[in-house]
Amino acid sequence: MRKFSKILFFVLAALSAASCIYDYNPQIDGEGGYMVVQGNLVIGEISTVSTSWSWSLVDTAQGDERWQILNSSRMHVEASDGTRYENQYNQWPSLMPYISFLSGSPYGSFDLREADPALSYRLVIENARGTYASEWAAPLSPGVLDSLSYRISEDKTQMAILVASRGDSQDGSYYRWTVQETWEYHAQTRAFYKYLLDTREVVPLDADENYYACWATGQRPEILTATTKDLLEDKLVDHQLYTLANTDSRVSVIYSAEVRQMRLPEEAYRYWQTMERNSSDVGGLFSPEPSELRGNVVNLDDPDEMVLGYVGVMQVASKRLFVKNYESRFYRTSMMPRPALDTLSNPDDWQRAFRTGMRPVTEVFNEESGRWLGYEWWPAYCVDCRLSGGTSSRPDFWPN
């Protein structure tokens, strides 16, 4: 039975790792064991929340008890008029009837598309350690996201992504942005043929089998904040969010950034400022104490318990920027050595080449006589862009 429990634990852990929401487990000096709550309640959207545990620089062990508590967590969102939004995320539907502690999930998904922005909201989490709740808060308007642009440095080595924003507060606003990047990239060369192992033939590739162009998506890791508190106007002009180097393959073809803007209350801004300092100075002399990372979530049954994380209630404005390299002329490719290539005409050689990870690319002819010499074979990673982690499915929003 003990062996079965261990196997079950690793199976469930693997399933958890495959889910679409990712855990954040911060390093904390000293004793670990703090619950971490992350996510926002975005009015007008489907919002996601996750829970996890912090881990200590001294003791990184994660006990079964904590893992079971997270997977028994029941979450909902409450509105100030009594409306309740249930968690629509169910991680273990097929296993819940058989395993008692899988009665909930460490993840939450709440449909707030019809939620009233005039009300206040809070997140509630119930588990074996108690009932946790974020502070009641009304959503702030996101302000106006006027424009996105880019600026290339004089030496042509850096590209800055810039935002122009404005609000309506006489005392200034506190802003935060998140950025989802999408970029098109190409394989090193285009293949026109494929090898059929069962018939030992080289045949032309169909158009939908050519994996020369791919797309990849990722989230910028930086914590991006700014304030207009000390400015004459509640306005940011060409505020720099981040930079990209001219050797970054993300800008090699077309690069896109979807920027989401939100306005924060001052305490939330201070929290994210502390998190930004902590992310760049983990374990340093001036790293924040755990008490500095306390957010707006509290255990109602034990208010002294340390809970990490900040659950904001907000509205979001978004815009998308495209940077096309054929217009910017910014990207500078690093000269990659040409792989050792073979021109093969013997079907026995084709099979051996295929089994060693090579793929036929094009036909080769003698320049003088025109005699057919065979097929030029390249490493698969040079002709199949998917092997670099992207997908050949073109995003719906991608320009022609």
Side-chain angles (χ1 to χ4, degrees):
M1 182 66 183
R2 185 178 184 85
K3 181 177 180 181
F4 172 77
S5 299
K6 289 183 178 180
I7 293 174
L8 176 61
F9 177 85
F10 286 113
V11 169
L12 297 181
L15 290 172
S16 175
S19 63
C20 295
I21 310 172
Y22 299 95
D23 293 339
Y24 168 61
N25 301 296
Q27 294 179 347
I28 303 295
D29 288 329
E31 184 179 353
Y34 304 123
M35 192 169 82
V36 182
V37 184
Q38 55 179 337
N40 293 307
L41 305 181
V42 183
I43 306 306
E45 298 185 6
I46 295 176
S47 301
T48 57
V49 175
S50 67
T51 59
S52 57
W53 292 103
S54 69
W55 56 275
S56 169
L57 292 172
V58 178
D59 178 12
T60 61
Q62 298 292 315
D64 287 358
E65 179 184 356
R66 298 175 186 174
W67 189 84
Q68 292 181 17
I69 290 174
L70 290 181
N71 283 281
S72 66
S73 295
R74 297 173 302 280
M75 304 184 199
H76 66 271
V77 172
E78 293 179 353
S80 53
D81 67 349
T83 303
R84 177 168 165 147
Y85 300 86
E86 300 296 341
N87 186 3
Q88 298 182 347
Y89 186 92
N90 191 348
Q91 189 172 10
W92 316 112
S94 61
L95 296 176
M96 286 174 62
Y98 309 102
I99 306 174
S100 59
F101 63 78
L102 297 182
S103 57
S105 171
Y107 307 118
S109 177
F110 308 98
D111 189 348
L112 304 179
R113 288 176 292 185
E114 302 299 325
D116 186 348
L119 301 176
S120 295
Y121 298 86
R122 71 172 181 174
L123 173 71
V124 178
I125 304 171
E126 299 171 292
N127 60 37
R129 289 180 62 142
T131 299
Y132 299 80
S134 62
E135 295 176 358
W136 286 101
L140 290 176
S141 68
V144 178
L145 203 172
D146 281 318
S147 66
L148 298 173
S149 60
Y150 65 89
R151 181 173 58 219
I152 297 174
S153 62
E154 291 185 6
D155 62 3
K156 312 295 185 184
T157 62
Q158 297 291 319
M159 175 184 290
I161 305 301
L162 312 172
V163 63
S165 305
R166 55 190 167 91
D168 56 4
S169 173
Q170 294 183 347
D171 298 324
S173 295
Y174 300 95
Y175 294 93
R176 182 176 176 231
W177 299 271
T178 60
V179 181
Q180 185 176 62
E181 305 171 293
T182 304
W183 60 95
E184 179 180 344
Y185 67 95
H186 293 167
Q188 191 172 344
T189 191
R190 188 189 298 269
F192 296 94
Y193 293 90
K194 65 180 179 180
Y195 178 72
L196 303 178
L197 186 59
D198 54 346
T199 61
R200 301 178 65 192
E201 292 179 286
V202 173
V203 299
L205 268 176
D206 294 333
D208 60 353
E209 295 178 303
N210 196 308
Y211 300 116
Y212 176 69
C214 279
W215 290 262
T217 297
Q219 196 78 16
R220 291 295 302 187
E222 302 95 337
I223 296 174
L224 305 170
T225 58
T227 180
T228 58
K229 179 176 174 56
D230 298 323
L231 302 181
L232 295 178
E233 293 183 82
D234 188 2
K235 186 177 183 179
L236 295 169
V237 178
D238 291 343
H239 174 74
Q240 179 175 307
L241 295 178
Y242 59 93
T243 61
L244 296 160
N246 65 352
T247 56
D248 193 323
S249 61
R250 286 174 290 187
V251 296
S252 61
V253 184
I254 300 179
Y255 172 82
S256 175
E258 183 187 27
V259 177
R260 292 165 57 82
Q261 173 177 292
M262 56 212 79
R263 284 201 301 171
L264 308 175
E266 182 175 0
E267 62 269 20
Y269 175 77
R270 301 300 175 199
Y271 173 83
W272 287 111
Q273 287 272 292
T274 302
M275 287 296 293
E276 181 179 16
R277 177 161 57 92
N278 187 45
S279 65
S280 60
D281 190 34
V282 172
L285 180 62
F286 300 105
S287 295
E289 295 294 323
S291 59
E292 295 182 72
L293 297 175
R294 182 190 290 269
N296 67 341
V297 181
V298 64
N299 184 341
L300 301 179
D301 301 314
D302 182 9
D304 293 330
E305 179 186 341
M306 175 68 66
V307 183
L308 308 183
Y310 197 101
V311 178
V313 180
M314 60 193 60
Q315 293 176 290
V316 170
S318 65
K319 278 187 182 297
R320 182 177 294 278
L321 171 72
F322 287 99
V323 180
K324 302 172 182 178
N325 188 55
Y326 62 82
E327 295 176 346
S328 68
R329 304 295 183 187
F330 173 66
Y331 180 63
R332 296 294 180 266
T333 181
S334 55
M335 296 302 295
M336 297 179 61
R338 183 182 174 94
L341 305 177
D342 289 319
T343 299
L344 306 176
S345 59
N346 188 316
D348 291 336
D349 294 333
W350 298 346
Q351 186 180 57
R352 282 192 291 268
F354 183 83
R355 292 187 183 279
T356 58
M358 305 292 283
R359 298 294 182 266
V361 170
T362 187
E363 290 184 289
V364 180
F365 297 87
N366 184 285
E367 293 182 1
E368 295 181 358
S369 66
R371 183 172 61 89
W372 182 80
L373 300 177
Y375 296 98
E376 188 174 77
W377 289 68
W378 285 64
Y381 62 83
C382 293
V383 300
D384 188 343
C385 58
R386 300 172 303 171
L387 299 180
S388 295
T391 173
S392 60
S393 298
R394 182 191 187 95
D396 294 337
F397 57 82
W398 211 248
N400 295 324

